[in-house]
Amino acid sequence: MKWTNADDVQSGRGDPSATDGGSPDEGGDDVHGAISNLLQDRELIVVSNRQPYSHEYEDGEVVVEPPAGGLTAAVDPLMQRLSGTWVAWGDGEADREVADEDGTVALPPGEESYRLQRVWLDEDDVEGYYRGYSNRVLWPVCHADLSKVDARPGDWETYEAVNQTFADAVIRRTPGDGIVWFHDYHFGRAPRLVRNARPEAFLAQFWHIPWPSWDVFRACPQAEAILDGLLANDLVGFHTDTDCRHFLEGVEVAGLGDVDRTSGSVLRDGQRTYVRSFPIGTDAAKWAERAGSDAADEFWAEFSEENGLTDRRMALGVERLDYTKGIERRLDALELLWEEEPDLQGDLTYVQKVSMSRQEIPAYAELRERVEGRVAEINDRFGTDDWQPIHYVDDHLPREALAALYREADVALVTPTRDGMNLVAKEFVAAQGADPGVLVLSELAGASEQLDAGSVVVNPYDVRAVADGVRHALTVPREEREDRMERLRTDVEGNDVYAWLSAQFRTIDRIRDSREATDELLT
Ligand code: GDG
């Protein structure tokens, strides 16, 4: 068995849990120690759709792929410290070969300080639970794009059944006083199913995507069942206060519990759920280091040479190819800009970095076709013998390469029509050097609740406003760019992924403390 570098393979994950960040062995040591103290000896069980490590075949040999994303990279060392259990879908080709009869494997390879409990899903499960209910119903509903909702018969039943499979695995691994931390919208039912069997366990869930107003969420055919599932948790976390407000309002209007706005909690059937915002961050120090690395320099030297960027300005977009990311309107805006400002033709080049995502779902495959068509159209319209307006990069890049693009961009365009947070905005900030670029940020991204002060904030639906935002960003003088970036950097560095981890475990600890105090009073 040998290691591969996750950046050398197309992760193809297209999953919120697969966001990028630090490496497993660096950063956050103090935070992991502090969390370990808070938890004392209680078992921690993390539950996510994607697994922290997967096993694959390469030239007939089994290779293990280390954590690809920021979330997993930040949680992996915590699990090592706590010797906990991670429950996740075993989707690697060689996963079964290395797991024991029960589906568990000791991690990390060679050190074996915690357990990964793999859950096996067959093709029908994946179609109904992942490509179906999670991504054709909950994803569009939560991103308030109701025209994309596709509630196929049977998908809900499969989603429930798979949630039960995960819940069974969790129950097997969770002692009565364990702490279970669910991630994301794939687990709208599992907390209730675990709660039924483990009334004393502490259940927490972090929902990585937005939570819409009730008027939108009620379009979800199983809205009440999902709310009921989440209300089995002791703590539910969202990125923003707006999400929390929407969630509490929904519970109230649906009549599913007594909402107490003062404590930010819901009482349902004698059980209290606290609802809190924990805006996720990135590993800012690590991104700064990547941006200053030799690998970043080497990538940029080659990339800028190949694409004629050495003496031109660059605007940049980085995202999964997803209809929530606002790519189409952004292309319209750039077209408008080149049309209205002929001087920018030949001067400003746009680099669109995409990661392919959920291509088996028609809405995603169609989006790809439209985006690629528009890129070709705009390139035809404005391109010249020595200038191509848009470079469309669909390779999975190493993080150092991404950091180089962030560092070199004059403008970053982060214009989703809705986003839970958007880590690209934060990574861009963390990667800036002495002569920083400008962030053009959608007011509908969670990130704008923190980063509005230093960015050029735009409405992503308003093509003219996005075009004007870029036009303005290109004229901001250096001193103002530095000021803006300083403000952004303070936030991004102060609220990194470790602060996010720490805030949640401190909250868990406080809730437990207050419960224990109440229990003592009662006995
Ligand atoms: C969900 C929510 C929330 C992209 N291309 C490459 C690459 N990436 C990495 C970026 C970044 C990540 O993908 C994308 O994260 P985002 O946060 O922007 O977006 P989602 O994937 O939609 O994530 C979102 C997040 O969950 C966390 O809670 O912020 O709102 O939708 O980290 O760096 N990484 C590498 N090569 C690439 O080519 N290595």
Side-chain angles (χ1 to χ4, degrees):
M1 192 181 294
K2 69 180 172 72
W3 284 86
T4 56
N5 176 357
D7 284 333
D8 289 334
V9 292
Q10 163 67 47
S11 81
R13 297 193 153 196
D15 187 273
S17 330
T19 49
D20 264 14
S23 67
D25 52 352
E26 287 168 60
D29 272 357
D30 297 348
V31 168
H32 298 130
I35 293 173
S36 156
N37 289 339
L38 286 179
L39 297 187
Q40 291 154 6
D41 288 333
R42 293 181 75 171
E43 172 99 7
L44 177 66
I45 294 96
V46 170
V47 189
S48 65
N49 178 57
R50 294 292 176 185
Q51 52 183 345
Y53 295 79
S54 73
H55 290 87
E56 307 289 345
Y57 291 113
E58 205 178 270
D59 302 328
E61 217 189 317
V62 174
V63 296
V64 60
E65 288 176 9
L71 174 63
T72 36
V75 177
D76 178 72
L78 178 66
M79 296 303 276
Q80 293 182 36
R81 188 127 186 178
L82 299 174
S83 308
T85 300
W86 196 316
V87 178
W89 168 28
D91 65 336
E93 283 176 340
D95 279 353
R96 280 176 196 265
E97 188 181 320
V98 298
D100 68 15
E101 273 178 7
D102 199 25
T104 58
V105 52
L107 290 176
E111 290 175 42
E112 318 201 327
S113 48
Y114 73 93
R115 258 184 322 209
L116 169 63
Q117 163 75 65
R118 285 179 169 145
V119 170
W120 309 121
L121 302 181
D122 65 23
E123 181 47 33
D124 290 346
D125 291 336
V126 177
E127 185 58 33
Y129 143 84
Y130 179 72
R131 297 196 283 266
Y133 200 78
S134 295
N135 286 316
R136 291 182 196 232
V137 178
L138 287 174
W139 178 271
V141 166
C142 288
H143 287 86
D145 194 345
L146 300 183
S147 67
K148 299 284 192 312
V149 175
D150 180 15
R152 301 179 302 182
D155 283 357
W156 164 251
E157 288 73 13
T158 308
Y159 180 85
E160 270 250 70
V162 170
N163 268 247
Q164 183 70 62
T165 308
F166 272 91
D168 290 342
V170 172
I171 293 162
R172 276 204 309 281
R173 294 292 174 201
T174 309
D177 67 347
I179 296 175
V180 185
W181 190 24
F182 295 97
H183 283 271
D184 235 342
Y185 60 102
H186 313 94
F187 303 113
R189 291 296 299 158
R192 173 63 63 203
L193 304 169
V194 171
R195 173 65 72 207
N196 292 340
R198 290 283 179 272
E200 301 301 324
F202 191 100
L203 309 186
Q205 184 152 13
F206 189 80
W207 193 264
H208 288 259
I209 63 176
W211 192 279
S213 67
W214 173 245
D215 210 34
V216 171
F217 194 70
R218 66 189 300 194
C220 170
Q222 288 76 26
E224 294 189 4
I226 297 288
L227 283 173
D228 170 69
L230 295 185
L231 289 174
N233 287 294
D234 297 280
L235 173 65
V236 176
F238 295 103
H239 287 300
T240 69
D241 291 342
T242 307
D243 297 324
C244 294
R245 185 165 44 78
H246 285 159
F247 182 82
L248 291 173
E249 272 167 19
V251 170
E252 194 161 55
V253 181
L256 291 183
D258 296 332
V259 172
D260 176 5
R261 290 215 160 58
T262 316
S263 63
S265 70
V266 179
L267 188 64
R268 173 168 171 77
D269 297 336
Q271 196 221 312
R272 190 167 293 283
T273 304
Y274 290 86
V275 179
R276 290 285 181 278
S277 65
F278 302 103
I280 201 168
T282 188
D283 190 336
K286 198 74 197 154
W287 277 101
E289 193 183 310
R290 288 184 189 122
S293 67
D294 292 346
D297 288 345
E298 281 157 28
F299 170 83
W300 180 247
E302 202 175 306
F303 185 86
S304 56
E305 184 63 39
E306 250 174 38
N307 297 299
L309 288 164
T310 39
D311 51 3
R312 292 195 167 99
R313 293 191 286 175
M314 176 178 71
L316 174 71
V318 174
E319 46 254 313
R320 281 186 305 100
L321 193 57
D322 194 299
Y323 53 80
T324 61
K325 302 291 183 185
I327 301 172
E328 291 181 275
R329 286 190 181 84
R330 192 185 310 158
L331 293 175
D332 293 347
L334 287 161
E335 183 177 40
L336 181 66
L337 187 64
W338 279 310
E339 186 183 292
E340 292 183 341
E341 305 277 352
D343 285 355
L344 290 178
Q345 294 175 27
D347 169 24
L348 177 72
T349 302
Y350 178 58
V351 174
Q352 175 64 63
K353 165 73 194 70
V354 293
S355 311
M356 285 311 149
S357 178
R358 309 173 193 167
Q359 283 297 303
E360 306 85 354
I361 300 174
Y364 286 79
E366 290 158 12
L367 173 73
R368 177 181 186 176
E369 216 165 278
R370 288 198 305 273
V371 165
E372 294 182 355
R374 283 291 284 143
V375 168
E377 226 171 73
I378 296 172
N379 280 343
D380 271 358
R381 179 169 174 198
F382 299 113
T384 61
D385 285 349
D386 70 348
W387 176 65
Q388 183 180 316
I390 304 178
H391 290 283
Y392 179 80
V393 182
D394 60 3
D395 305 317
H396 182 79
L397 299 179
R399 281 171 223 156
E400 286 70 17
L402 216 48
L405 290 176
Y406 290 146
R407 183 189 77 188
E408 295 296 331
D410 296 282
V411 182
L413 276 154
V414 177
T415 59
T417 50
R418 200 62 56 118
D419 220 326
M421 174 55 66
N422 194 297
L423 285 174
V424 166
K426 297 190 169 188
E427 293 165 6
F428 169 72
V429 170
Q432 295 308 295
D435 186 7
V438 175
L439 176 62
V440 175
L441 181 60
S442 161
E443 61 192 15
L444 298 173
S448 79
E449 292 200 13
Q450 298 160 346
L451 303 183
D452 54 342
S455 10
V456 174
V457 177
V458 295
N459 179 327
Y461 288 99
D462 187 342
V463 171
R464 152 114 359 250
V466 176
D468 288 348
V470 181
R471 194 193 325 258
H472 174 62
L474 289 168
T475 61
V476 178
R478 176 152 178 181
E479 203 176 317
E480 186 186 330
R481 279 189 276 120
E482 286 172 2
D483 286 351
R484 281 174 177 272
M485 198 45 72
E486 199 41 49
R487 263 181 276 171
L488 294 174
R489 201 178 282 124
T490 306
D491 197 288
V492 167
E493 287 173 0
N495 298 300
D496 66 3
V497 67
Y498 302 106
W500 174 80
L501 262 184
S502 158
Q504 282 169 92
F505 283 95
R506 279 187 279 115
T507 304
I508 291 174
D509 189 52
R510 275 206 302 278
I511 297 172
R512 274 177 29 209
D513 271 0
S514 68
R515 291 230 165 117
E516 276 160 22
T518 319
D519 289 348
E520 270 169 31
L521 284 178
L522 294 176
T523 50

